[in-house]
Amino acid sequence: MGAAAVGSATPGRASVGNVTGSARVGARASVGAGTGPVGARASVARAAVRPGPPAPPGGPSGPPIAPSGKDKSKAAKRRRRTNILTAAAAVLVIMLGAGVVGGTYFFDDVALPPPVTEDQSNVILDSKGTVLAKLGEANRTVVPEEKINKVVEHAVAAAEDKNFYTHHGIDMKGIVRAAWNNFTGGATQGASTITQQYARHAADLKAISINRKLREAVIARKLESQYNKDQIMGMYLNYVDFGEGRYGIEAAAQGYFGKSVTTPAGQKNAVTPYEAAVIASIIKQPYPTDAHKGYDPNYNLTDAKLRWEYTMKNMLDMGWISQDVYDKRVYPKVKPRNSDACKTCAENKPVGMIIRHVKAELLSMGISSSEIEQGGLTIQTTIDPDVQKAAEEAGSRNSEDSPMHGRPKSYQAAVIGIDPKTGRVLGYYAGDNPAGTDYGGYLNGTGTEIIGGQSPGSTMKIYTLAAGLKEGVSFDSVWDGTLKRKNGTEISNAGQDPGKVCAGKIKYCDLETATIKSYNFPFYWITDTIGVPKVLEAAKAAGIRHIYTDVKKGFPNGEQVDLNKTDASTWSSAGYFDREVGFGQYRVVPLEHAEGVATIVNQGVHHAAHFIKTVKRVDPDNGKSSVIGQEKTDGNRVFGEAEMSNLSSVMKEIVDVDKRDLRNGRESIAKSGTWEYKEGSGDCWFVGGIPQLAATVWVGGATNKVELKETTGKDMFGAGTPSRIWKMFLDSVTKSLDMKQEDFPARQKTGDPAKFGNGEKPAAPVNDCAFAVIGLGCDTGQNNNPGNGQGQGQGNGQGNGNGQGNGQGNGDGNGGTDTGQTDPGGITLPTTAAQTDGT
């Protein structure tokens, strides 16, 4: 057994095991495994107390510490005498107990453990400062000793150790009693003084045994040599269990009386002597057992009052309260225990799903797991309570107003609202069970891994369009919907009859119509033309990071590809992505998709989606709060302004076509999407938003894919239930937040219609001019733009479309039928049907 010489060490130094290091309070100490008798701790973080000078001789904080040499004062002599008696008691117990430790001077052999940093709660707030949750195994908030109301400290001393301020850390009677019990076979004894109780905790001496009792006493003596009484009291108060899962004096005061111990005595809302005595009295036995119900007034008011009377009497006897205060004592009203008391807490509520995202972001900020577990963090999230409420009410089947209400339990929705100008996630509904599957981010329970995603269907086209517009593709370009894929298979177009696609113009359908109607063929060919990597680059720039391949060897659910860690060489490889990436075959993470949607809504400026605004930590040594983590809201432009105004203008038309216009005529943009499953739909989406809020809605199967149906029994599409959820969500938010109306930028047409496209418009029909006579003109021209058809002649013919006029006058057409022409001699010519083109 190695010697750990600590007892007479220079104040501030300690040798633990075989490793010598600083044990100064407030420093970091790495404690090796060593061979010392006290179980060493793997690592020790910052201390929960502040070092301070020793108290003056005879003061209430205990004896001074000699800086060097031999202290010849009376106090020093008493201290040395106490140490000798402690060692003598140890020897006595060794002799009576058949040799607990042999041949080593017990006092020097027991190491002084470094101060313990108590684990605290992490408090999570919404954007308005309301508590969402408290995380951590211990409901504890560490407070510096010097900020603790002295009334509270005196009450604890009165209840547990009224001679605390005058003894040297140990109860000699207790030591002798332990030795006698060991000799006679009686029961072992627990700690008695406050210093011994803390020594037992600091040295991790959990079980009560003679050997550990002695070590506890020795450590208590060394604590008294190292720290003054106030420091020891502070360490003790921040660790002790006050029942009902409340650790530390601050959690106790808040829990039992809704007050803080940092409020100075006498001020408004300060803990009173009567309340302090209630809290202190609980320490003796905070929890009920079969033998005794304990001293928590919520469980055993009768005995709690008796213990309170004992504490109050000791406070009077020690001069810590006046006779008048004692005479006017009335047992105070204690807050009843209520497991559901935290009405705003996230436990068992949909908003609880954000906790795993908070944990993930803390790690990404460089805050380690051990720091998170240690606690003491105050985390303000981006979650706006009004937006969160709107997301839950629109997406949860538990909400009677939701379009999901009454749907099968196998159906699931996700609703995500992001501020496009900052990336803040304002509302996040990803399932009713926060401990279940995260249908928004597919983040596992520990916040360390993404485990799934869903096919975005046609909502993926917003990235294909962004990539295409960047390359110069025009919405006026035309595309042939009869062409088959490279492998010879047909391209599905939302199940529409080929003869009705693009109003019969399937061979020369313009991209704008195809986008609004959500036809797939132009997006297949745009992806083929510009290349799969450019589509994925656009998706990555917008916010998509993870995307899944189809099922392949070794990956029964598809391989997850991190776009940030791969490039075109991977994306173009066999077994990864084909041209169908352009219209949404491959699964993505809804939250990442929502980030991408927010980039489009924000006219091409990307902000990373995030859940944390600030992370603060209170320094337990000085009580000061400092920011250790903060959001980054700087954006970067990834798509051109002109191209985005062009895209937004087309997406505005989708809102009108799908009849999802918002309240008060508010301007919005949107894109619907559906991906098939078996004979129906498996994933349905509606995404878009208003300038102040991007909204992404997904509806699919809970756990497994199912064929989605509307209440009518028909197949569900993105323009159905998802669009109704989307509208309900945005209407609710704009109303509750009284958002001002904002419009998207005016449209700037971009691209060259002649540069891209594989469709061909039909040749202009030839007019046989059968009725032409001398002096009559013959219009054989074709006009592709509505309202610009012209004929030449002397008659005046007007029609709708590519009207043709015969005669010497001018014919003007606006898409329809020419009503006839008259020649100079008054001969009426037959009418001619006009050609129509476009939509």
Side-chain angles (χ1 to χ4, degrees):
M1 181 175 296
V6 182
S8 59
T10 302
R13 302 287 297 174
S15 175
V16 182
N18 290 333
V19 180
T20 301
S22 173
R24 289 176 293 108
V25 182
R28 289 184 176 272
S30 178
V31 185
T35 57
V38 179
R41 301 174 72 88
S43 63
V44 179
R46 293 179 302 155
V49 296
R50 180 176 57 82
S61 294
I65 302 171
S68 61
K70 187 173 182 180
D71 188 348
K72 297 182 179 181
S73 66
K74 292 182 178 179
K77 290 180 180 180
R78 287 197 302 271
R79 188 168 64 252
R80 286 192 292 272
R81 185 165 58 250
T82 303
N83 290 345
I84 293 171
L85 290 173
T86 302
V91 172
L92 174 63
V93 176
I94 290 169
M95 295 173 61
L96 296 176
V100 177
V101 180
T104 304
Y105 180 40
F106 198 79
F107 190 87
D108 284 344
D109 193 55
V110 177
L112 172 67
V116 177
T117 296
E118 307 298 350
D119 290 342
Q120 305 179 63
S121 299
N122 292 317
V123 181
I124 299 180
L125 312 173
D126 65 20
S127 62
K128 302 293 177 64
T130 302
V131 175
L132 285 175
K134 287 189 177 182
L135 304 181
E137 293 185 3
N139 176 15
R140 177 189 282 115
T141 300
V142 173
V143 290
E145 183 280 328
E146 65 271 18
K147 291 185 176 293
I148 298 175
N149 184 337
K150 286 296 180 183
V151 169
V152 175
E153 295 188 3
H154 292 155
V156 170
E160 290 295 302
D161 182 8
K162 69 178 183 179
N163 296 316
F164 170 72
Y165 291 105
T166 56
H167 64 55
H168 297 294
I170 60 172
D171 176 6
M172 290 304 299
K173 292 181 180 178
I175 293 289
V176 174
R177 184 169 58 250
W180 178 255
N181 284 347
N182 183 55
F183 177 70
T184 61
T188 54
Q189 300 294 312
S192 53
T193 71
I194 283 175
T195 310
Q196 283 178 267
Q197 290 182 53
Y198 180 74
R200 181 181 175 194
H201 165 66
D204 202 21
L205 303 176
K206 296 178 180 178
I208 300 175
S209 67
I210 301 305
N211 189 22
R212 290 189 176 185
K213 177 72 176 177
L214 289 172
R215 289 179 182 171
E216 167 196 298
V218 171
I219 292 170
R221 281 294 309 122
K222 293 182 177 181
L223 283 170
E224 293 274 343
S225 297
Q226 180 81 10
Y227 308 108
N228 64 39
K229 291 290 187 177
D230 288 340
Q231 290 173 315
I232 294 171
M233 177 61 80
M235 290 187 281
Y236 176 79
L237 288 178
N238 277 309
Y239 113 80
V240 72
D241 186 349
F242 287 91
E244 298 188 17
R246 295 161 183 159
Y247 296 84
I249 191 64
E250 178 68 3
Q254 293 283 4
Y256 289 107
F257 295 105
K259 295 183 176 182
S260 173
V261 296
T262 62
T263 303
Q267 291 190 9
K268 183 180 179 181
N269 293 325
V271 177
T272 68
Y274 312 118
E275 293 168 337
V278 170
I279 297 170
S281 299
I282 295 172
I283 299 174
K284 182 176 177 65
Q285 186 179 324
Y287 299 100
T289 65
D290 292 339
H292 191 275
K293 292 182 180 180
Y295 298 99
D296 181 339
N298 284 320
Y299 288 101
N300 185 9
L301 182 59
T302 300
D303 286 348
K305 286 183 175 180
L306 292 175
R307 182 70 180 171
W308 176 77
E309 287 285 1
Y310 167 82
T311 302
M312 290 296 298
K313 183 64 168 62
N314 281 348
M315 292 177 74
L316 174 65
D317 292 344
M318 299 305 296
W320 291 326
I321 58 173
S322 67
Q323 185 69 49
D324 182 62
V325 170
Y326 179 76
D327 292 341
K328 292 179 179 178
R329 68 189 184 281
V330 175
Y331 195 86
K333 183 178 181 180
V334 175
K335 291 173 63 177
R337 184 179 184 276
N338 184 356
S339 58
D340 298 323
C342 185
K343 298 298 183 182
T344 60
C345 286
E347 186 178 1
N348 299 323
K349 297 180 181 180
V351 72
M353 193 65 75
I354 71 163
I355 292 173
R356 62 184 73 178
H357 292 276
V358 167
K359 290 179 179 178
E361 284 187 33
L362 289 174
L363 293 172
S364 70
M365 288 178 171
I367 300 171
S368 67
S369 297
S370 60
E371 288 178 294
I372 297 172
E373 291 174 3
Q374 179 181 320
L377 305 178
T378 298
I379 305 151
Q380 185 170 38
T381 69
T382 60
I383 297 296
D384 183 291
D386 291 317
V387 182
Q388 180 65 27
K389 180 181 178 183
E392 294 176 14
E393 290 182 344
S396 173
R397 71 170 52 82
N398 294 331
S399 167
E400 294 183 0
D401 295 327
S402 170
M404 291 293 291
H405 187 65
R407 299 300 176 89
K409 291 184 178 180
S410 57
Y411 287 24
Q412 180 62 51
V415 182
I416 305 169
I418 295 178
D419 180 348
K421 295 180 174 65
T422 62
R424 292 171 180 166
V425 179
L426 304 181
Y428 187 76
Y429 171 73
D432 294 305
N433 179 11
T437 301
D438 173 15
Y439 291 102
Y442 285 92
L443 197 61
N444 66 357
T446 60
T448 56
E449 183 183 5
I450 290 174
I451 56 176
Q454 300 294 351
S455 299
S458 290
T459 60
M460 186 75 178
K461 294 173 183 175
I462 60 177
Y463 310 124
T464 309
L465 288 168
L469 292 170
K470 185 176 182 179
E471 297 297 315
V473 173
S474 167
F475 276 113
D476 292 327
S477 59
V478 293
W479 304 83
D480 188 347
T482 64
L483 297 178
K484 294 183 178 180
R485 290 184 177 90
K486 296 286 186 177
N487 62 9
T489 61
E490 293 185 355
I491 302 172
S492 172
N493 291 298
Q496 290 205 25
D497 180 348
K500 295 181 179 179
V501 169
C502 213
K505 297 174 294 178
I506 190 171
K507 288 191 174 184
Y508 54 103
C509 188
D510 65 275
L511 181 58
E512 184 163 335
T513 298
T515 300
I516 296 169
K517 295 293 187 182
S518 210
Y519 302 138
N520 293 331
F521 60 89
F523 298 92
Y524 178 92
W525 294 114
I526 289 174
T527 305
D528 179 69
T529 303
I530 67 175
V532 167
K534 287 188 177 179
V535 173
L536 288 174
E537 278 289 355
K540 172 185 171 182
I544 299 287
R545 176 173 177 178
H546 299 92
I547 186 168
Y548 290 80
T549 67
D550 285 332
V551 173
K552 62 179 184 177
K553 186 177 180 180
F555 298 94
N557 296 315
E559 179 183 355
Q560 185 191 86
V561 178
D562 189 331
L563 297 182
N564 287 352
K565 297 180 179 179
T566 54
D567 55 24
S569 62
T570 298
W571 307 338
S572 301
S573 300
Y576 282 84
F577 307 107
D578 209 332
R579 298 160 187 83
E580 284 78 7
V581 74
F583 54 92
Q585 173 175 324
Y586 302 100
R587 292 180 297 140
V588 298
V589 180
L591 176 58
E592 295 178 357
H593 192 19
E595 180 179 324
V597 171
T599 301
I600 300 299
V601 171
N602 199 35
Q603 301 301 290
V605 177
H606 169 257
H607 293 271
H610 58 280
F611 290 83
I612 295 178
K613 276 187 175 181
T614 59
V615 184
K616 295 181 180 180
R617 170 173 284 140
V618 176
D619 188 331
D621 295 338
N622 56 33
K624 293 182 179 179
S625 177
S626 60
V627 176
I628 63 171
Q630 195 163 14
E631 66 179 342
K632 296 179 180 178
T633 58
D634 294 338
N636 61 302
R637 178 164 290 284
V638 295
F639 305 126
E641 292 183 65
E643 287 79 10
M644 289 297 100
S645 73
N646 201 8
L647 176 56
S648 295
S649 295
V650 174
M651 292 176 68
K652 279 193 286 186
E653 298 181 56
I654 295 174
V655 177
D656 295 333
V657 169
D658 289 338
K659 298 179 181 178
R660 291 294 169 250
D661 55 304
L662 302 181
R663 59 185 289 271
N664 298 331
R666 186 180 294 269
E667 190 170 272
S668 60
I669 64 174
K671 183 70 189 80
S672 62
T674 306
W675 196 257
E676 61 188 18
Y677 176 67
K678 294 184 177 179
E679 300 300 318
S681 304
D683 293 290
C684 297
W685 301 74
F686 206 78
V687 307
I690 58 177
Q692 305 101 311
L693 182 63
T696 295
V697 174
W698 164 82
V699 176
T703 307
N704 298 312
K705 283 193 181 298
V706 296
E707 289 188 67
L708 302 171
K709 301 289 183 181
E710 296 289 6
T711 54
T712 60
K714 294 183 179 180
D715 288 340
M716 183 186 294
F717 293 96
T721 294
S723 72
R724 289 194 289 273
I725 294 173
W726 183 85
K727 174 177 167 56
M728 178 181 172
F729 172 58
L730 284 172
D731 280 348
S732 177
V733 171
T734 56
K735 182 178 181 180
S736 61
L737 297 184
D738 193 23
M739 284 186 171
K740 294 181 179 180
Q741 297 233 17
E742 289 186 21
D743 292 338
F744 288 94
R747 183 174 189 176
Q748 301 179 57
K749 281 206 168 188
T750 62
D752 182 359
K755 185 177 180 181
F756 292 93
N758 56 18
E760 293 186 10
K761 294 181 179 180
V766 179
N767 188 347
D768 60 11
C769 297
F771 295 94
V773 294
I774 296 175
L776 296 181
C778 180
D779 180 12
T780 59
Q782 187 85 12
N783 178 27
N784 294 324
N785 294 316
N788 293 320
Q790 294 182 344
Q792 294 182 354
Q794 293 181 353
N796 293 317
Q798 294 183 339
N800 294 318
N802 297 312
Q804 297 168 346
N806 292 317
Q808 295 179 1
N810 292 321
D812 212 10
N814 291 311
T817 302
D818 185 359
T819 57
Q821 304 87 20
T822 303
D823 73 3
I827 302 173
T828 301
L829 303 178
T831 60
T832 305
Q835 292 284 347
T836 58
D837 195 18
T839 59

